[in-house]
Amino acid sequence: MITATDLYLYRKRRLVNMASLTLSMLATLFGLLWLAWLLWTLVTQGIQYVNWDLFTQTTPPPGESGGLSNAIAGSLILIVLGVIIGAPIGIFAGTYLSEFGRGTRFAAIVRFVSDVLLSSPSIILGVFVYQVVVIHMGHFSAYAGGLALALIVLPIVLRTTEDMLRLVPDRMREAAAALGAPRWKVIVSIVYRAARSGILTGILLAVARVSGETAPLLFTALNNQFSSTNLSQPIANLPVVIFQFAMSPYDDWQHLAWAGALLITFGILLLNIIVRVFLPEPERQR
Amino acid sequence: MSEQFITSIPSVSPRNHNHVTWFDSLFAGAAWFAAATVLIVIGAILFVLIQGALPALYKFGPGFISSAHWNPVTENFGARVPIYGTLITSMLAMLIAMPVSFGIALFITELCPRWLKRPIGIAVELLAAIPSIIYGMWGLFVFAPLFADHAQPWITEHFGTLPIVGVLFTGPPLGIGLFTASLILAIMVIPFISAIMRDVFEATPRVLKESAYGLGSTTWEVVRHVVLPYTKIGVIGGVMVGLGRALGETMAVTFVIGNAHKLSNSLFMPGNTISSTLANEFTEAVNPIYTSSLISLGLILFLISFIVLAVARALLLRLQANEGLST
């Protein structure tokens, strides 16, 4: 028999359910709203200043027209440096965790520390590299910037490499070993080959992550008004240029900052979407 | 094919075998060394920070943490204002981000139609991919003026007069300040927290949820009484990861916090965080004690976020060990 209290309870439960589910939908909308708003702002503020000059002219003094060519080139150089230094170490370290150190305490500690390093404040990495490299060289340099970025690339690549190598079935390793292949050969020609696109995913994600990093470059690569390919000198790079130009009182500079922000954001989003759509999904880094 | 195998057999002659083991141990050694590099890096960071911080810590003593002075001219430094700013903005950010992330995770795992799961998941993750400097520009040039013109006067008028908490909402409508910084931090950490919550929610065994549904539970009751208790360690871990991120976030905060070395009770007033102080002043610091004080701030930030992140990791690892979550 259904009493009035039962009915009341039932209604109340339904109501609570509806309310919480509605709230959860609103929360999702709330999250997506910011994404849409941010992108909308970038497009409306930046698109009018994206033109050919942006890619061919160097950063101007206030009041003159110019582009961001030196900053774009510098950013690419820094990213390449960061990946060249960080990715091999990350891949090797990931290889160790997956192939040699499985289940050991040392591997567990390395994995733990790497995860912490990945989420630790990037500005600290800038301070660290400043103290270690910049002070000893006596000036800011592209090397220092690349090194700071490498410290971010390393844990990302390590994590994805380990995850992707673990996905390779042990049967394949055993089959190769049974054919007499030495261990390094098993790893290089069997495991790496099977996990190739996964490792690439890790590197691309690392590139996406470091290309917008500003804080570690402030004290390391700094900035340069001119085109420079000298790696031991300060080098222009998009994030720091955007920061300085956006904070400046000059309209021209602010316009360039918005154009740069548009470039960098859509570059990064494109990279992220490519990685997610075309390559296997690795464990998300946290 | 068979020919290949035959030709490969001679390579396992004893001499070559020695060569092979030699290269094998070289390879293993290189891999070990790469893994050890991670530990060396963390150790070096800690060492360098402590070394750089020593002069300031020696000069100011433990009072460095509690002193609210920050005067480059008289060379008198204290960490109270930036530490306060860092903690307040992060806490407030978590207050906003936690319920929203929970809602998103709930939506993705329980409500969302299957075909929409991936697009929404990706969209939220893209929020995490946008560089923090972009959030900063947007916050300073788009959000702050709107907030100052339309929301802030209203909030100050209606909440500023409340007893006790009212003081939090007083002050001129600047748009920038502790509250704006917190809100932007919240938006930035939502993707991290919701991604972890989603993953741990999805790791709840289907049988448990279906039994609860079978008993007549509503979706909310299943989440509240089955999923949440089952995954609470992971949820806390996710929140801690978000907190760790918020503590160290630099560029976005630098744009909107106002960079004032002042303690104020109102959330609408400018302040400073450890990371924004570093970003603004590190290259300008000319005398050694100034630099050393800034590095001391960095050391404090590193220690706080290291502890928070380590606890987060430990919680997530425990969940993984206990409940077989494959992350």
Side-chain angles (χ1 to χ4, degrees), chain B residues 193-204:
Chain B
I193 306 179
S194 59
I196 295 181
M197 283 189 182
R198 177 192 61 191
D199 289 352
V200 298
F201 285 179
E202 278 185 344
T204 315

PDB file of all heavy atoms in Angstrom, chain B residues 193-204:
ATOM      1  N   ILE B 193      40.870  18.547 -12.618  1.00  0.00           N
ATOM      2  CA  ILE B 193      40.092  17.861 -11.587  1.00  0.00           C
ATOM      3  C   ILE B 193      39.011  17.003 -12.233  1.00  0.00           C
ATOM      4  O   ILE B 193      38.814  15.846 -11.861  1.00  0.00           O
ATOM      5  CB  ILE B 193      39.463  18.869 -10.621  1.00  0.00           C
ATOM      6  CG1 ILE B 193      40.551  19.784 -10.048  1.00  0.00           C
ATOM      7  CG2 ILE B 193      38.757  18.161  -9.493  1.00  0.00           C
ATOM      8  CD1 ILE B 193      40.019  20.827  -9.107  1.00  0.00           C
ATOM      9  N   SER B 194      38.307  17.581 -13.229  1.00  0.00           N
ATOM     10  CA  SER B 194      37.201  16.805 -13.786  1.00  0.00           C
ATOM     11  C   SER B 194      37.705  15.591 -14.552  1.00  0.00           C
ATOM     12  O   SER B 194      37.049  14.548 -14.551  1.00  0.00           O
ATOM     13  CB  SER B 194      36.297  17.688 -14.652  1.00  0.00           C
ATOM     14  OG  SER B 194      37.029  18.262 -15.688  1.00  0.00           O
ATOM     15  N   ALA B 195      38.885  15.694 -15.184  1.00  0.00           N
ATOM     16  CA  ALA B 195      39.409  14.518 -15.902  1.00  0.00           C
ATOM     17  C   ALA B 195      39.697  13.382 -14.933  1.00  0.00           C
ATOM     18  O   ALA B 195      39.366  12.223 -15.193  1.00  0.00           O
ATOM     19  CB  ALA B 195      40.676  14.888 -16.672  1.00  0.00           C
ATOM     20  N   ILE B 196      40.291  13.716 -13.782  1.00  0.00           N
ATOM     21  CA  ILE B 196      40.599  12.660 -12.812  1.00  0.00           C
ATOM     22  C   ILE B 196      39.309  12.093 -12.215  1.00  0.00           C
ATOM     23  O   ILE B 196      39.136  10.881 -12.095  1.00  0.00           O
ATOM     24  CB  ILE B 196      41.531  13.188 -11.708  1.00  0.00           C
ATOM     25  CG1 ILE B 196      42.876  13.546 -12.335  1.00  0.00           C
ATOM     26  CG2 ILE B 196      41.702  12.162 -10.605  1.00  0.00           C
ATOM     27  CD1 ILE B 196      43.893  14.063 -11.364  1.00  0.00           C
ATOM     28  N   MET B 197      38.380  12.989 -11.868  1.00  0.00           N
ATOM     29  CA  MET B 197      37.114  12.513 -11.301  1.00  0.00           C
ATOM     30  C   MET B 197      36.399  11.594 -12.295  1.00  0.00           C
ATOM     31  O   MET B 197      35.878  10.548 -11.926  1.00  0.00           O
ATOM     32  CB  MET B 197      36.212  13.695 -10.965  1.00  0.00           C
ATOM     33  CG  MET B 197      36.594  14.417  -9.690  1.00  0.00           C
ATOM     34  SD  MET B 197      35.310  15.611  -9.266  1.00  0.00           S
ATOM     35  CE  MET B 197      35.987  16.356  -7.807  1.00  0.00           C
ATOM     36  N   ARG B 198      36.400  12.007 -13.563  1.00  0.00           N
ATOM     37  CA  ARG B 198      35.743  11.183 -14.579  1.00  0.00           C
ATOM     38  C   ARG B 198      36.380   9.799 -14.631  1.00  0.00           C
ATOM     39  O   ARG B 198      35.692   8.784 -14.627  1.00  0.00           O
ATOM     40  CB  ARG B 198      35.868  11.858 -15.942  1.00  0.00           C
ATOM     41  CG  ARG B 198      35.279  11.067 -17.073  1.00  0.00           C
ATOM     42  CD  ARG B 198      35.692  11.636 -18.397  1.00  0.00           C
ATOM     43  NE  ARG B 198      37.150  11.591 -18.548  1.00  0.00           N
ATOM     44  CZ  ARG B 198      37.805  12.214 -19.519  1.00  0.00           C
ATOM     45  NH1 ARG B 198      37.161  12.931 -20.398  1.00  0.00           N
ATOM     46  NH2 ARG B 198      39.105  12.113 -19.599  1.00  0.00           N
ATOM     47  N   ASP B 199      37.724   9.780 -14.634  1.00  0.00           N
ATOM     48  CA  ASP B 199      38.403   8.484 -14.721  1.00  0.00           C
ATOM     49  C   ASP B 199      38.100   7.600 -13.524  1.00  0.00           C
ATOM     50  O   ASP B 199      37.868   6.396 -13.687  1.00  0.00           O
ATOM     51  CB  ASP B 199      39.920   8.697 -14.865  1.00  0.00           C
ATOM     52  CG  ASP B 199      40.277   9.254 -16.224  1.00  0.00           C
ATOM     53  OD1 ASP B 199      39.363   9.325 -17.081  1.00  0.00           O
ATOM     54  OD2 ASP B 199      41.447   9.625 -16.433  1.00  0.00           O
ATOM     55  N   VAL B 200      38.115   8.174 -12.329  1.00  0.00           N
ATOM     56  CA  VAL B 200      37.860   7.310 -11.169  1.00  0.00           C
ATOM     57  C   VAL B 200      36.382   6.904 -11.110  1.00  0.00           C
ATOM     58  O   VAL B 200      36.060   5.785 -10.728  1.00  0.00           O
ATOM     59  CB  VAL B 200      38.314   7.935  -9.824  1.00  0.00           C
ATOM     60  CG1 VAL B 200      39.800   8.173  -9.819  1.00  0.00           C
ATOM     61  CG2 VAL B 200      37.562   9.193  -9.503  1.00  0.00           C
ATOM     62  N   PHE B 201      35.494   7.799 -11.530  1.00  0.00           N
ATOM     63  CA  PHE B 201      34.075   7.423 -11.559  1.00  0.00           C
ATOM     64  C   PHE B 201      33.862   6.245 -12.505  1.00  0.00           C
ATOM     65  O   PHE B 201      33.100   5.329 -12.229  1.00  0.00           O
ATOM     66  CB  PHE B 201      33.197   8.593 -12.026  1.00  0.00           C
ATOM     67  CG  PHE B 201      33.003   9.662 -10.973  1.00  0.00           C
ATOM     68  CD1 PHE B 201      32.255  10.793 -11.242  1.00  0.00           C
ATOM     69  CD2 PHE B 201      33.559   9.510  -9.713  1.00  0.00           C
ATOM     70  CE1 PHE B 201      32.081  11.771 -10.281  1.00  0.00           C
ATOM     71  CE2 PHE B 201      33.395  10.483  -8.743  1.00  0.00           C
ATOM     72  CZ  PHE B 201      32.654  11.626  -9.038  1.00  0.00           C
ATOM     73  N   GLU B 202      34.569   6.319 -13.641  1.00  0.00           N
ATOM     74  CA  GLU B 202      34.371   5.252 -14.622  1.00  0.00           C
ATOM     75  C   GLU B 202      34.971   3.937 -14.167  1.00  0.00           C
ATOM     76  O   GLU B 202      34.651   2.882 -14.705  1.00  0.00           O
ATOM     77  CB  GLU B 202      34.924   5.683 -15.986  1.00  0.00           C
ATOM     78  CG  GLU B 202      33.885   6.531 -16.683  1.00  0.00           C
ATOM     79  CD  GLU B 202      34.227   6.937 -18.092  1.00  0.00           C
ATOM     80  OE1 GLU B 202      35.415   6.830 -18.474  1.00  0.00           O
ATOM     81  OE2 GLU B 202      33.311   7.364 -18.804  1.00  0.00           O
ATOM     82  N   ALA B 203      35.858   4.029 -13.178  1.00  0.00           N
ATOM     83  CA  ALA B 203      36.478   2.800 -12.685  1.00  0.00           C
ATOM     84  C   ALA B 203      35.599   2.082 -11.668  1.00  0.00           C
ATOM     85  O   ALA B 203      35.928   0.987 -11.236  1.00  0.00           O
ATOM     86  CB  ALA B 203      37.837   3.128 -12.068  1.00  0.00           C
ATOM     87  N   THR B 204      34.486   2.716 -11.278  1.00  0.00           N
ATOM     88  CA  THR B 204      33.573   2.027 -10.351  1.00  0.00           C
ATOM     89  C   THR B 204      32.992   0.792 -11.052  1.00  0.00           C
ATOM     90  O   THR B 204      32.506   0.895 -12.176  1.00  0.00           O
ATOM     91  CB  THR B 204      32.393   2.943  -9.971  1.00  0.00           C
ATOM     92  OG1 THR B 204      32.912   4.228  -9.669  1.00  0.00           O
ATOM     93  CG2 THR B 204      31.640   2.396  -8.794  1.00  0.00           C
TER      94      THR B 204
END
